[in-house]
Amino acid sequence: MRMDWSRGPAAVDEISRLIAAFTRDHGNQLLVALREWVDHAKFETGFEPHDGQKPSFEPIDVSTGATLSLDAVPAGMLWAGRFLAAGFGDDREEQRALIDTLCSDLFPEQDFRDAVVATLRLSAEMVRTGLGPQDTTVPEAAWAPEARTLFAAAAREHWHGPDGALELLQRFSTEHGTPAVIGAMKGWCRQARGLIANDVPGEPAYPGWRSTSTDDELAADEVPPAARWAGRFIAAVWNDDEDQARALLGSLRSSAELTECVIETLKTATAFVPDPRG
């Protein structure tokens, strides 16, 4: 399912008024409204799954046509894409699960509103144009290039000083906020997975730790908490286990804990980058 988020809504004020009527406490009402918007768009476009396959969400760069990492898509837009895909595929259980996520306290308020606005915008645009989901695309998040630059600096082990990874991370967090930091973390994990995709079997990943001095395997309780958290988070992302990743993020009780875990995740993810010296 390719989404085009570059087309603005025809009536921003009206959409804002409608969205203001919904809160996290209106889960069932919200589900009914969102389903109706998507079902109407499906009916008006005459969408039918290709060869009986369920539609999937595939974010595409508008300018190049290249497939984007899901972590390059803002959280609210990503949610809307998945909800539309579930709706066009008549997957009511997935839609209910997505609504539960949307109404969770772990889903930031701004992302909540962005998700509802995006669902309404896309559904209305499909009705207006008659174009199905296969005809549209989505641009990557504005912060994605900075996240890649940060990853590259850490991979070169350029941590300190001007434009070092730590300085870039501080700037990134200040300018884009926690949701973008979390999105970037997932992107780094998937980028690391892509670097060794041809060298590992397609089986679930499990966290493991080794001593840097002896290379001996270590138990989870033998490593610092941030390193233990990073190993589990990377495994969750590699396994596409969103529930586990969300639970790990929810276990962090302070910005200091989050910062430590972000740095540890970045260090571990960049360790998979091949050494150019061989």
Side-chain angles (χ1 to χ4, degrees):
M1 178 176 286
R2 301 185 175 193
M3 306 293 176
D4 185 357
W5 301 90
S6 64
R7 303 169 180 172
V12 175
D13 290 342
E14 179 64 12
I15 288 179
S16 298
R17 184 187 67 77
L18 288 169
I19 300 310
F22 294 113
T23 70
R24 296 181 192 279
D25 298 329
H26 298 147
N28 288 331
Q29 296 177 22
L30 185 62
L31 176 59
V32 170
L34 291 170
R35 276 181 176 174
E36 286 184 351
W37 298 340
V38 175
D39 288 347
H40 186 50
K42 181 180 178 181
F43 174 78
E44 290 294 328
T45 59
F47 178 84
E48 292 292 341
H50 180 65
D51 294 332
Q53 295 182 350
K54 291 185 177 181
S56 60
F57 176 62
E58 181 184 21
I60 303 294
D61 188 312
V62 175
S63 59
T64 66
T67 301
L68 298 173
S69 165
L70 295 183
D71 303 296
V73 182
M77 296 181 180
L78 179 59
W79 187 96
R82 286 173 167 160
F83 189 82
L84 280 156
F88 274 73
D90 293 323
D91 191 339
R92 297 306 196 191
E93 289 188 8
E94 176 64 11
Q95 284 188 314
R96 166 54 71 183
L98 285 165
I99 286 290
D100 289 343
T101 297
L102 188 69
C103 294
S104 166
D105 291 338
L106 296 177
F107 207 78
E109 180 67 23
Q110 186 58 54
D111 290 337
F112 167 85
R113 298 195 174 276
D114 288 347
V116 179
V117 169
T119 303
L120 179 56
R121 172 189 287 182
L122 283 172
S123 300
E125 184 67 13
M126 289 181 190
V127 171
R128 186 184 70 81
T129 63
L131 296 175
Q134 69 277 9
D135 302 312
T136 53
T137 55
V138 57
E140 70 176 359
W143 49 260
E146 295 176 50
R148 290 193 291 268
T149 298
L150 213 167
F151 185 90
R156 297 194 307 272
E157 297 186 0
H158 178 29
W159 288 94
H160 304 283
D163 291 329
L166 295 179
E167 179 183 291
L168 291 174
L169 178 59
Q170 178 61 50
R171 190 187 311 163
F172 185 91
S173 176
T174 300
E175 293 180 359
H176 302 290
T178 300
V181 171
I182 292 172
M185 289 171 67
K186 293 179 179 179
W188 300 333
C189 295
R190 292 197 173 100
Q191 190 170 349
R193 181 177 63 182
L195 292 169
I196 62 170
N198 295 327
D199 301 324
V200 296
E203 298 178 357
Y206 298 95
W209 300 269
R210 288 183 179 277
S211 168
T212 56
S213 57
T214 65
D215 201 36
D216 292 336
E217 291 188 9
L218 300 174
D221 59 0
E222 296 180 291
V223 298
R228 182 166 61 247
W229 187 97
R232 288 171 173 165
F233 184 77
I234 291 173
V237 174
W238 284 29
N239 294 331
D240 294 319
D241 188 344
E242 188 62 30
D243 289 340
Q244 176 66 8
R246 188 163 49 245
L248 285 164
L249 291 166
S251 72
L252 302 177
R253 301 305 178 191
S254 68
S255 58
E257 281 189 15
L258 174 61
T259 298
E260 289 180 6
C261 291
V262 171
I263 293 173
E264 197 64 39
T265 299
L266 182 58
K267 287 181 178 179
T268 304
T270 52
F272 291 93
V273 178
D275 189 332
R277 296 167 297 183

Coordinates of all heavy atoms in Angstrom, one line a residue, residues 117-181:
V117 N -5.7 12.2 11.9 CA -5.8 13.2 10.7 C -5.3 12.5 9.4 O -5.9 12.6 8.4 CB -4.9 14.4 11.0 CG1 -4.7 15.2 9.8 CG2 -5.5 15.2 12.1
A118 N -4.2 11.7 9.5 CA -3.7 11.1 8.3 C -4.7 10.0 7.8 O -4.8 9.9 6.6 CB -2.3 10.4 8.7
T119 N -5.3 9.3 8.7 CA -6.3 8.3 8.2 C -7.5 9.0 7.5 O -7.9 8.6 6.4 CB -6.8 7.5 9.4 OG1 -5.8 6.9 10.1 CG2 -7.8 6.4 8.9
L120 N -7.9 10.1 8.1 CA -9.0 10.8 7.4 C -8.6 11.4 6.1 O -9.3 11.4 5.1 CB -9.6 11.9 8.4 CG -10.7 12.8 7.9 CD1 -11.9 11.9 7.4 CD2 -11.1 13.8 9.0
R121 N -7.4 12.0 6.1 CA -6.9 12.7 4.9 C -6.8 11.7 3.8 O -7.2 12.0 2.6 CB -5.5 13.3 5.2 CG -4.8 13.9 4.0 CD -3.4 14.3 4.3 NE -3.3 15.5 5.1 CZ -2.2 16.1 5.4 NH1 -1.0 15.5 5.1 NH2 -2.2 17.2 6.1
L122 N -6.2 10.6 4.0 CA -5.9 9.6 3.0 C -7.3 9.0 2.5 O -7.4 8.8 1.3 CB -5.0 8.5 3.5 CG -3.5 8.8 3.5 CD1 -2.8 7.7 4.2 CD2 -3.0 9.1 2.1
S123 N -8.1 8.7 3.4 CA -9.4 8.1 3.0 C -10.2 9.1 2.1 O -10.7 8.7 1.1 CB -10.2 7.7 4.2 OG -9.6 6.8 5.0
A124 N -10.2 10.4 2.6 CA -10.9 11.4 1.8 C -10.3 11.6 0.4 O -11.0 11.8 -0.6 CB -11.0 12.7 2.6
E125 N -9.0 11.6 0.4 CA -8.3 11.8 -0.9 C -8.6 10.6 -1.9 O -8.7 10.9 -3.1 CB -6.8 11.9 -0.6 CG -5.9 12.2 -1.9 CD -6.2 13.6 -2.4 OE1 -6.9 14.4 -1.7 OE2 -5.8 13.9 -3.6
M126 N -8.6 9.4 -1.4 CA -9.0 8.3 -2.2 C -10.4 8.4 -2.8 O -10.6 8.1 -4.0 CB -8.8 7.0 -1.5 CG -7.4 6.6 -1.2 SD -7.3 5.0 -0.3 CE -5.6 5.0 0.2
V127 N -11.3 8.9 -1.9 CA -12.7 9.0 -2.4 C -12.7 10.1 -3.5 O -13.4 10.0 -4.5 CB -13.6 9.4 -1.2 CG1 -15.0 9.8 -1.7 CG2 -13.7 8.2 -0.3
R128 N -12.0 11.2 -3.2 CA -12.0 12.4 -4.1 C -11.4 12.0 -5.5 O -12.0 12.4 -6.6 CB -11.2 13.5 -3.6 CG -11.3 14.8 -4.4 CD -10.5 15.9 -3.8 NE -9.0 15.6 -3.9 CZ -8.4 15.9 -5.0 NH1 -9.0 16.4 -6.1 NH2 -7.1 15.6 -5.1
T129 N -10.3 11.3 -5.5 CA -9.6 11.0 -6.8 C -10.0 9.7 -7.4 O -9.8 9.4 -8.6 CB -8.1 11.0 -6.5 OG1 -7.8 9.9 -5.6 CG2 -7.6 12.3 -5.9
G130 N -10.6 8.8 -6.6 CA -10.9 7.4 -7.1 C -9.7 6.5 -7.2 O -9.7 5.4 -7.8
L131 N -8.5 7.0 -6.7 CA -7.3 6.2 -6.8 C -7.2 5.3 -5.6 O -7.4 5.7 -4.4 CB -6.1 7.2 -6.8 CG -6.0 8.1 -8.0 CD1 -4.8 9.0 -7.9 CD2 -5.8 7.3 -9.3
G132 N -6.8 4.1 -5.8 CA -6.6 3.1 -4.8 C -5.3 3.3 -4.1 O -4.4 4.1 -4.5
P133 N -5.0 2.5 -3.0 CA -3.8 2.7 -2.2 C -2.5 2.3 -3.0 O -1.5 2.8 -2.7 CB -4.0 1.7 -1.0 CG -5.0 0.7 -1.6 CD -5.9 1.5 -2.5
Q134 N -2.7 1.5 -4.1 CA -1.5 1.1 -4.8 C -0.9 2.3 -5.6 O 0.2 2.2 -6.2 CB -1.8 -0.1 -5.7 CG -2.7 0.3 -6.9 CD -4.2 0.2 -6.5 OE1 -4.5 0.1 -5.3 NE2 -5.0 0.3 -7.5
D135 N -1.7 3.4 -5.7 CA -1.3 4.5 -6.6 C -0.6 5.6 -5.9 O -0.3 6.7 -6.5 CB -2.6 5.0 -7.3 CG -3.3 4.0 -8.2 OD1 -2.6 3.3 -8.9 OD2 -4.5 3.9 -8.0
T136 N -0.4 5.5 -4.6 CA 0.1 6.6 -3.8 C 1.3 6.3 -3.0 O 1.6 5.1 -2.8 CB -1.0 7.2 -2.8 OG1 -1.5 6.1 -2.1 CG2 -2.2 7.7 -3.6
T137 N 2.0 7.3 -2.5 CA 3.3 7.1 -1.9 C 3.5 8.0 -0.6 O 2.7 8.9 -0.4 CB 4.5 7.5 -2.9 OG1 4.2 8.9 -3.3 CG2 4.5 6.6 -4.0
V138 N 4.5 7.8 0.1 CA 4.8 8.5 1.4 C 6.2 8.9 1.5 O 7.1 8.1 1.2 CB 4.4 7.7 2.6 CG1 5.2 6.4 2.7 CG2 4.7 8.5 3.9
P139 N 6.5 10.2 1.8 CA 7.9 10.6 1.9 C 8.5 10.2 3.3 O 7.7 9.9 4.2 CB 7.8 12.2 1.9 CG 6.5 12.4 2.4 CD 5.6 11.3 2.0
E140 N 9.8 10.2 3.4 CA 10.4 9.8 4.7 C 10.3 11.0 5.6 O 10.1 12.1 5.3 CB 11.9 9.4 4.5 CG 12.8 10.5 4.1 CD 14.2 10.0 4.0 OE1 14.5 8.8 4.2 OE2 15.1 10.8 3.7
A141 N 10.5 10.7 6.9 CA 10.5 11.7 8.0 C 11.6 12.7 7.7 O 12.7 12.3 7.2 CB 10.6 11.0 9.3
A142 N 11.4 13.9 8.1 CA 12.3 15.0 7.9 C 13.7 14.7 8.7 O 14.7 15.2 8.2 CB 11.7 16.4 8.3
W143 N 13.6 14.0 9.8 CA 14.8 13.8 10.6 C 15.6 12.5 10.1 O 16.7 12.3 10.6 CB 14.4 13.5 12.0 CG 13.3 12.6 12.3 CD1 11.9 12.9 12.5 CD2 13.3 11.1 12.3 NE1 11.2 11.7 12.7 CE2 12.0 10.6 12.6 CE3 14.4 10.2 12.1 CZ2 11.8 9.3 12.6 CZ3 14.1 8.9 12.2 CH2 12.8 8.4 12.4
A144 N 15.1 11.8 9.2 CA 15.8 10.5 8.8 C 17.2 10.7 8.3 O 18.1 10.0 8.7 CB 15.0 9.8 7.7
P145 N 17.5 11.8 7.4 CA 18.9 12.0 7.0 C 19.8 12.2 8.2 O 21.0 11.8 8.2 CB 18.8 13.2 6.1 CG 17.4 13.1 5.6 CD 16.6 12.7 6.7
E146 N 19.3 13.0 9.2 CA 20.2 13.3 10.4 C 20.5 12.0 11.1 O 21.6 11.8 11.7 CB 19.5 14.3 11.2 CG 19.4 15.7 10.6 CD 18.6 16.6 11.5 OE1 18.9 16.8 12.7 OE2 17.6 17.3 11.0
A147 N 19.5 11.1 11.2 CA 19.7 9.8 11.9 C 20.7 9.0 11.2 O 21.5 8.3 11.9 CB 18.3 9.1 12.0
R148 N 20.7 9.0 9.9 CA 21.7 8.3 9.2 C 23.1 8.9 9.4 O 24.1 8.2 9.5 CB 21.4 8.2 7.7 CG 20.2 7.4 7.4 CD 20.0 7.1 5.9 NE 19.7 8.3 5.1 CZ 18.4 8.6 4.9 NH1 17.4 7.9 5.3 NH2 18.1 9.7 4.2
T149 N 23.2 10.2 9.4 CA 24.5 10.9 9.7 C 25.0 10.5 11.1 O 26.2 10.3 11.2 CB 24.3 12.4 9.6 OG1 23.9 12.7 8.2 CG2 25.6 13.1 9.9
L150 N 24.1 10.4 12.0 CA 24.5 10.1 13.4 C 25.0 8.6 13.4 O 26.1 8.4 14.0 CB 23.2 10.2 14.3 CG 23.4 10.6 15.7 CD1 22.1 10.9 16.3 CD2 24.1 9.5 16.5
F151 N 24.4 7.7 12.7 CA 24.8 6.3 12.6 C 26.2 6.3 12.0 O 27.1 5.5 12.5 CB 23.8 5.5 11.8 CG 24.1 4.1 11.8 CD1 23.6 3.2 12.7 CD2 24.9 3.5 10.8 CE1 23.8 1.8 12.7 CE2 25.1 2.1 10.7 CZ 24.6 1.3 11.7
A152 N 26.4 7.0 10.9 CA 27.7 7.0 10.2 C 28.8 7.5 11.1 O 29.9 7.0 11.1 CB 27.6 7.8 9.0
A153 N 28.6 8.6 11.9 CA 29.6 9.1 12.8 C 30.0 8.1 13.9 O 31.1 7.8 14.2 CB 29.1 10.4 13.5
A154 N 28.9 7.4 14.5 CA 29.2 6.3 15.5 C 30.0 5.2 14.8 O 30.8 4.6 15.5 CB 27.9 5.9 16.1
A155 N 29.6 4.8 13.6 CA 30.3 3.7 12.9 C 31.8 4.0 12.7 O 32.6 3.1 12.7 CB 29.6 3.4 11.6
R156 N 32.1 5.3 12.5 CA 33.5 5.7 12.4 C 34.2 5.8 13.7 O 35.4 6.2 13.8 CB 33.6 7.0 11.6 CG 33.1 6.9 10.2 CD 33.5 8.2 9.4 NE 33.2 9.4 10.1 CZ 32.1 10.1 10.0 NH1 31.1 9.6 9.2 NH2 31.9 11.2 10.6
E157 N 33.4 5.6 14.8 CA 33.9 5.7 16.2 C 34.3 7.2 16.5 O 35.2 7.5 17.3 CB 35.1 4.8 16.5 CG 34.7 3.3 16.4 CD 35.8 2.4 16.9 OE1 36.9 2.9 17.3 OE2 35.6 1.2 16.9
H158 N 33.6 8.1 15.8 CA 33.8 9.5 16.0 C 32.7 9.9 17.0 O 31.6 10.4 16.7 CB 33.6 10.3 14.7 CG 33.7 11.8 14.9 ND1 34.5 12.4 15.8 CD2 33.2 12.8 14.2 CE1 34.4 13.7 15.7 NE2 33.6 14.0 14.7
W159 N 33.0 9.8 18.3 CA 32.0 10.0 19.4 C 32.1 11.4 20.0 O 31.1 11.9 20.3 CB 32.2 8.9 20.5 CG 31.7 7.6 20.0 CD1 32.5 6.6 19.5 CD2 30.4 7.1 20.1 NE1 31.7 5.5 19.2 CE2 30.4 5.8 19.6 CE3 29.2 7.6 20.5 CZ2 29.3 5.0 19.5 CZ3 28.0 6.8 20.4 CH2 28.1 5.5 19.9
H160 N 33.3 11.9 20.1 CA 33.5 13.2 20.8 C 33.9 14.3 19.8 O 34.3 14.1 18.7 CB 34.5 13.0 21.9 CG 34.2 11.9 22.9 ND1 33.2 12.0 23.8 CD2 34.6 10.6 23.0 CE1 33.1 10.9 24.5 NE2 34.0 10.0 24.0
G161 N 33.8 15.5 20.3 CA 34.2 16.7 19.5 C 33.1 17.2 18.6 O 32.0 16.6 18.6
P162 N 33.4 18.2 17.8 CA 32.4 18.8 16.9 C 31.9 17.7 15.9 O 32.7 16.9 15.3 CB 33.2 19.8 16.1 CG 34.3 20.2 17.1 CD 34.7 18.9 17.8
D163 N 30.6 17.6 15.7 CA 29.9 16.7 14.8 C 30.2 15.2 15.2 O 30.1 14.3 14.4 CB 30.3 16.9 13.4 CG 29.8 18.3 12.9 OD1 28.7 18.6 13.3 OD2 30.4 18.9 12.0
G164 N 30.6 15.0 16.5 CA 30.8 13.6 16.9 C 29.4 13.1 17.2 O 28.4 13.8 17.3
A165 N 29.3 11.8 17.4 CA 28.0 11.1 17.6 C 27.3 11.6 18.8 O 26.1 11.8 18.8 CB 28.2 9.6 17.7
L166 N 28.0 11.9 19.9 CA 27.3 12.4 21.1 C 26.7 13.8 20.9 O 25.6 14.1 21.4 CB 28.3 12.3 22.3 CG 28.8 10.9 22.7 CD1 29.7 11.0 23.9 CD2 27.6 10.0 23.1
E167 N 27.5 14.6 20.3 CA 27.0 16.0 20.0 C 25.8 15.9 19.0 O 24.8 16.6 19.2 CB 28.1 16.9 19.4 CG 27.7 18.3 19.1 CD 28.8 19.1 18.4 OE1 29.8 19.4 19.2 OE2 28.7 19.4 17.2
L168 N 25.9 15.1 18.0 CA 24.8 15.0 17.0 C 23.6 14.4 17.7 O 22.5 14.8 17.4 CB 25.3 14.1 15.9 CG 26.3 14.6 14.9 CD1 26.8 13.5 13.9 CD2 25.8 15.9 14.2
L169 N 23.8 13.5 18.6 CA 22.6 12.9 19.3 C 21.9 13.9 20.2 O 20.7 14.0 20.2 CB 23.1 11.7 20.2 CG 22.0 11.0 21.0 CD1 20.9 10.5 20.1 CD2 22.6 9.9 21.8
Q170 N 22.7 14.7 20.9 CA 22.1 15.8 21.7 C 21.3 16.8 20.8 O 20.2 17.2 21.2 CB 23.2 16.5 22.5 CG 22.7 17.7 23.3 CD 21.7 17.2 24.4 OE1 22.0 16.3 25.1 NE2 20.6 17.9 24.5
R171 N 21.9 17.2 19.7 CA 21.2 18.1 18.8 C 20.0 17.5 18.2 O 18.9 18.1 18.1 CB 22.2 18.5 17.7 CG 21.7 19.6 16.8 CD 22.7 19.8 15.6 NE 24.1 19.9 16.1 CZ 25.1 19.7 15.3 NH1 24.9 19.4 14.0 NH2 26.3 19.7 15.7
F172 N 20.1 16.2 17.8 CA 18.9 15.5 17.3 C 17.8 15.4 18.2 O 16.6 15.7 17.9 CB 19.4 14.1 16.9 CG 18.3 13.3 16.2 CD1 18.2 13.3 14.8 CD2 17.5 12.5 16.9 CE1 17.3 12.5 14.1 CE2 16.5 11.7 16.2 CZ 16.4 11.7 14.8
S173 N 18.1 15.1 19.5 CA 17.0 14.9 20.5 C 16.4 16.3 20.8 O 15.1 16.4 20.9 CB 17.7 14.4 21.8 OG 16.7 14.3 22.8
T174 N 17.2 17.3 20.9 CA 16.6 18.7 21.1 C 15.7 19.2 20.0 O 14.6 19.7 20.3 CB 17.8 19.7 21.4 OG1 18.6 19.3 22.5 CG2 17.2 21.1 21.6
E175 N 16.1 18.9 18.8 CA 15.4 19.5 17.6 C 14.2 18.6 17.3 O 13.2 19.2 16.8 CB 16.3 19.6 16.4 CG 17.4 20.6 16.6 CD 18.3 20.7 15.4 OE1 18.1 19.9 14.4 OE2 19.2 21.5 15.4
H176 N 14.2 17.3 17.5 CA 13.1 16.4 17.0 C 12.3 15.7 18.1 O 11.3 15.2 17.8 CB 13.7 15.4 16.0 CG 14.4 16.0 14.9 ND1 13.8 16.7 13.9 CD2 15.8 16.1 14.5 CE1 14.7 17.2 13.0 NE2 15.9 16.8 13.4
G177 N 12.9 15.6 19.3 CA 12.1 15.0 20.4 C 12.2 13.5 20.5 O 12.8 12.9 19.6
T178 N 11.6 13.0 21.6 CA 11.7 11.6 21.9 C 11.2 10.7 20.8 O 11.8 9.6 20.5 CB 11.1 11.3 23.3 OG1 11.7 12.1 24.3 CG2 11.2 9.8 23.6
P179 N 10.0 10.9 20.2 CA 9.5 10.0 19.2 C 10.4 9.8 18.1 O 10.6 8.7 17.6 CB 8.2 10.7 18.7 CG 7.7 11.5 19.9 CD 9.0 12.0 20.5
A180 N 11.1 10.9 17.6 CA 12.1 10.7 16.5 C 13.3 9.9 17.0 O 13.9 9.1 16.2 CB 12.5 12.1 16.1
V181 N 13.7 10.1 18.2 CA 14.9 9.4 18.8 C 14.5 7.9 18.8 O 15.3 7.0 18.4 CB 15.2 9.8 20.2 CG1 16.2 8.9 20.8 CG2 15.8 11.2 20.2

